[in-house]
């Protein structure tokens, strides 16, 4: 649901959007299309993906149905020739490019030892190099526009070591996009080209998030990002440049007072998942609330919890999960526990798993009990620094689904 009204300021403007076949890129394209903008859909998805909906051609149909004009182009942002070909086609059809949106991105939330170099190269070649390359190749056309913008979907440069420690390869790749903003905004200032970054405050309900966590109930819809992007792109690029903007701040500036409609589940507006790279308040308030209700981590509840989990393990759960978890519990009930949902018939108990863990999770016993009782989502705990994860992060994030399957009662 779009809450920022279209003004027509992008009518006739040409946007070159990487990764625009789905998700946030497509949402921005559709918002601009309502103004009657021209959109170059520069993405790889020419054939339907087995798990992810949308192609450059279906996106083009949606854009034109809203009153925009579309040019679907098969583009891998790692390939200079493909980007240049798409730019040349944009010039032929639309006579130029006014706005570049660097949205294409690759992600692997893995630690140093778990990041293979093929995946490392993919992230850096798409995120950092792809952003730099698209900006470089579009520059001659942007210089000719009287309303030239570059907008990178990348985070503020937060030097908190935490964001490097958990997935340093991905952090470097995303920060490379942000460094492009930092440098190019000054470099292109004399050319009257606005260069800015936009990042969500919370998780956004894209196919990637759904595949990672299996749950978008604590996320917002892509509309909040597309509304924010639209408002930014309507600003004067001569004066609006070098900003690292957060989506909810921008839509509030645009006049939106109630952000509830952006939530996928309005009942969860107080429990939205914070996005990466943004420092958030600690769980101190949750601690206070917990104490007022009684400390769920006290009284030997961890052994009882694992006993309950053990009774809930089924062959179907093992087959579906295919992961072994080790839990390093700190605090009053310090100890090591494991859940084996890879080796039939499954196992659960104290000590390290005999077959080795795919993911090791470390947290205080109090928060651990909250997590398995459904009061604290693993992804939220991880983002807030209350849960440390080593090993296979995507498998660790499967705990969201696992907990629903176990239906543990505290």
């Amino acid at each position: 649901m779009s809450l920022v009204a279209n003004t027509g300021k992008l009518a006739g403007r040409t946007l070159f959007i990487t990764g625009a076949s789905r998700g946030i890129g497509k949402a921005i394209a559709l918002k601009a299309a309502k103004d009657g903008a021209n959109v170059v859909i520069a993405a790889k998805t020419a054939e339907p993906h087995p798990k992810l909906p949308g192609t450059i051609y279906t996106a083009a149909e949606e854009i034109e149905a809203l009153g925009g004009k579309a040019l679907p182009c098969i583009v891998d942002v790692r390939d200079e020739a493909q980007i240049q070909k798409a730019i040349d086609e944009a010039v032929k059809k639309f006579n130029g490019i006014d706005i570049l949106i660097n949205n294409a991105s690759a992600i692997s939330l893995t630690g140093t030892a778990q990041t293979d170099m093929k995946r490392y190269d993919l992230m850096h070649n798409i995120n950092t190099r792809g952003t730099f390359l698209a900006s470089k190749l579009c520059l001659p056309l942007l210089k000719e526009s009287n309303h030239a913008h570059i907008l990178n979907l990348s985070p503020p440069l937060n030097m908190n070591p935490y964001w490097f420690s958990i997935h340093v390869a991905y952090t470097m790749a995303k920060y490379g996009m942000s460094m492009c903003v930092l440098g190019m905004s000054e470099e292109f200032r004399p050319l009257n080209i606005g260069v800015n970054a936009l990042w969500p405050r919370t998780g956004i309900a894209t196919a990637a998030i759904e595949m990672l966590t299996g749950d978008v109930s604590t996320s917002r819809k892509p509309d909040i990002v597309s509304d924010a992007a639209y408002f930014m792109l309507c600003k004067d690029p001569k004066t609006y440049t070098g900003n690292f903007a957060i989506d909810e701040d921008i839509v509030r500036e645009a006049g939106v007072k109630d952000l509830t409609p952006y939530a996928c589940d309005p009942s969860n507006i107080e429990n939205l998942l914070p996005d990466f790279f943004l420092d958030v308040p600690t769980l101190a308030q949750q601690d206070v609330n917990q104490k007022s209700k009684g400390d769920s981590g006290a009284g030997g509840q961890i052994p009882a919890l694992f006993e309950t989990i053990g009774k809930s393990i089924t062959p179907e759960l093992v087959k579906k999960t295919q992961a072994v978890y080790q839990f390093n519990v700190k605090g009053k009930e310090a100890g090591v526990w494991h859940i084996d949902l890879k080796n039939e018939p499954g196992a659960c108990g104290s000590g390290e798993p005999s077959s080795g863990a795919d993911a090791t999770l470390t947290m205080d016993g109090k928060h651990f009990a909250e997590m398995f009782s459904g009061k604290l989502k693993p992804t939220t705990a991880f983002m807030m620094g209350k849960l440390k994860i080593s090993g296979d992060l995507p498998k660790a994030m499967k705990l969201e689904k696992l907990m629903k399957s176990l239906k543990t009662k505290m």
Side-chain angles (χ1 to χ4, degrees):
M1 175 183 293
S2 176
L3 302 180
V4 174
N6 280 70
T7 61
K9 289 185 178 179
L10 298 186
R13 299 292 182 185
T14 298
L15 289 74
F16 190 104
I17 308 178
T18 66
S21 60
R22 61 172 69 98
I24 290 172
K26 189 181 81 169
I28 295 173
L30 295 178
K31 180 68 175 175
K34 294 177 183 178
D35 267 9
N38 310 315
V39 181
V40 181
I41 308 162
K44 293 191 302 179
T45 315
E47 300 293 332
H49 188 281
K51 295 183 179 180
L52 302 174
T55 67
I56 57 175
Y57 305 112
T58 58
E61 291 174 0
E62 291 183 58
I63 288 167
E64 296 192 339
L66 290 173
K69 295 180 180 178
L71 175 62
C73 296
I74 300 174
V75 173
D76 182 334
V77 295
R78 296 171 292 178
D79 190 319
E80 183 172 358
Q82 288 186 22
I83 297 176
Q84 188 60 59
K85 181 181 179 183
I87 291 172
D88 293 341
E89 291 179 8
V91 172
K92 289 179 182 177
K93 184 165 185 176
F94 301 130
N95 299 315
I97 294 173
D98 300 288
I99 295 168
L100 167 64
I101 298 175
N102 288 304
N103 168 69
S105 188
I107 182 172
S108 182
L109 301 177
T110 46
T112 300
Q114 294 77 31
T115 304
D116 63 72
M117 294 313 295
K118 182 178 180 180
R119 195 69 186 174
Y120 177 98
D121 291 340
L122 178 70
M123 287 191 289
H124 283 260
N125 286 336
I126 291 178
N127 301 4
T128 302
R129 185 180 183 275
T131 293
F132 181 90
L133 179 57
S135 302
K136 171 184 168 68
L137 296 182
C138 285
L139 181 58
L141 296 170
L142 294 173
K143 288 165 65 175
E144 296 176 6
S145 172
N146 62 2
H147 191 79
H149 280 277
I150 297 176
L151 180 64
N152 294 353
L153 274 296
S154 65
L157 289 165
N158 184 349
M159 293 296 108
N160 182 343
Y162 174 72
W163 297 113
F164 291 85
S165 68
I166 53 178
H167 40 57
V168 65
Y170 174 63
T171 298
M172 288 192 293
K174 287 306 292 187
Y175 279 17
M177 297 176 69
S178 300
M179 287 190 285
C180 285
V181 172
L182 192 65
M184 292 178 186
S185 61
E186 286 302 308
E187 181 184 1
F188 301 161
R189 192 183 295 271
L191 303 174
N192 295 323
I193 300 173
V195 185
N196 298 285
L198 175 61
W199 194 245
R201 174 76 67 190
T202 70
I204 299 298
T206 62
I209 288 291
E210 189 166 8
M211 286 180 66
L212 180 64
T213 68
D215 180 19
V216 296
S217 65
T218 55
S219 298
R220 284 174 173 155
K221 302 168 187 174
D223 297 333
I224 188 170
V225 184
S226 58
D227 276 0
Y230 176 82
F231 189 74
M232 293 172 72
L233 296 172
C234 288
K235 288 177 175 284
D236 185 351
K238 299 180 183 66
T239 56
Y240 189 73
T241 190
N243 299 282
F244 290 88
I246 302 301
D247 59 353
E248 68 175 38
D249 296 337
I250 295 298
V251 297
R252 288 187 191 281
E253 182 187 343
V256 179
K257 292 180 172 59
D258 182 7
L259 305 185
T260 304
Y262 288 126
C264 293
D265 182 352
S267 67
N268 268 336
I269 57 173
E270 298 300 326
N271 189 35
L272 293 174
L273 175 67
D275 206 352
F276 294 102
F277 310 116
L278 301 179
D279 292 337
V280 295
T282 65
L283 294 181
Q285 186 57 50
Q286 288 193 27
D287 292 344
V288 171
N289 293 341
Q290 190 62 40
K291 288 176 182 177
S292 68
K293 299 175 184 176
D295 191 341
S296 64
Q301 291 201 32
I302 299 299
L305 171 63
F306 276 96
E307 183 179 351
T308 304
I309 293 172
K311 294 177 181 177
S312 303
I313 294 175
T314 64
E316 292 77 19
L317 187 60
V318 173
K319 184 177 180 180
K320 184 177 181 180
T321 308
Q322 286 297 290
V324 179
Y325 302 100
Q326 177 175 321
F327 302 90
N328 296 335
V329 180
K330 305 296 183 181
K332 292 181 179 179
E333 293 191 80
V336 177
W337 301 81
H338 69 271
I339 302 176
D340 184 342
L341 295 176
K342 177 185 286 186
N343 303 293
E344 294 184 359
C348 176
S350 62
E352 297 183 4
S354 58
S355 62
D358 292 300
T360 299
L361 298 89
T362 302
M363 70 188 309
D364 186 271
K366 176 175 56 180
H367 298 308
F368 185 86
E370 289 175 347
M371 192 170 73
F372 271 90
S373 67
K375 297 175 183 176
L376 176 63
K377 288 182 177 289
T379 314
T380 303
F382 173 69
M383 297 294 290
M384 289 183 166
K386 293 296 182 180
L387 169 64
K388 307 295 183 184
I389 298 175
S390 60
D392 191 322
L393 186 57
K395 284 188 177 180
M397 291 299 101
K398 280 187 175 182
L399 283 170
E400 300 276 2
K401 290 182 177 179
L402 170 62
M403 289 170 190
K404 291 180 181 179
S405 300
L406 294 174
K407 296 181 181 178
T408 302
K409 303 296 184 181
M410 292 298 293

